[in-house]
Amino acid sequence: MFKHVAAALFLATLTLGTAVAAQPQAVRVDATSRQTAEASYKAMMNGRSEDERRKLSLAILVLNLEDVGSAREAMQNPELDAPSIGRIKDKVAGLTADEIIALAARSTAIHVQTPAE
């Protein structure tokens, strides 16, 4: 009897462990360099719906503009010609796409409203 219970427990533990390991891990920003941050961002965008990609892109834009004082400053800053995750990599280091979107939503510096809102 004990052997059957032990075997059932072992199988249940093995099955649970396999199921947990099989779940995909959320992509996080690797802020080691601009290149690794860009690669992480591209990986985040893969497999997302159009709406999710739009939200993430807007979040990156908001976070890029947080420290900009004026439209003139933004126009004079060549890094803002194409706002990228590379510019804000340290701010979003280790975050998932959902965490980046939430961080941008908490920003008081700028608010972007989309037609769906």
Side-chain angles (χ1 to χ4, degrees), residues 1-70:
M1 174 79 171
F2 178 72
K3 288 181 183 179
H4 293 296
V5 172
L9 264 158
F10 175 74
L11 285 175
T13 303
L14 183 63
T15 303
L16 182 61
T18 303
V20 170
Q23 292 178 347
Q25 296 295 315
V27 177
R28 295 188 174 276
V29 175
D30 177 355
T32 306
S33 68
R34 287 178 90 91
Q35 291 80 13
T36 59
E38 290 291 340
S40 301
Y41 179 66
K42 285 180 184 176
M44 282 180 182
M45 291 298 245
N46 288 338
R48 290 183 131 8
S49 70
E50 183 65 32
D51 186 53
E52 291 170 325
R53 287 194 302 269
R54 180 182 48 77
K55 286 179 182 177
L56 182 55
S57 295
L58 284 173
I60 296 300
L61 175 64
V62 166
L63 294 172
N64 266 276
L65 294 175
E66 260 187 344
D67 302 324
V68 177
S70 68

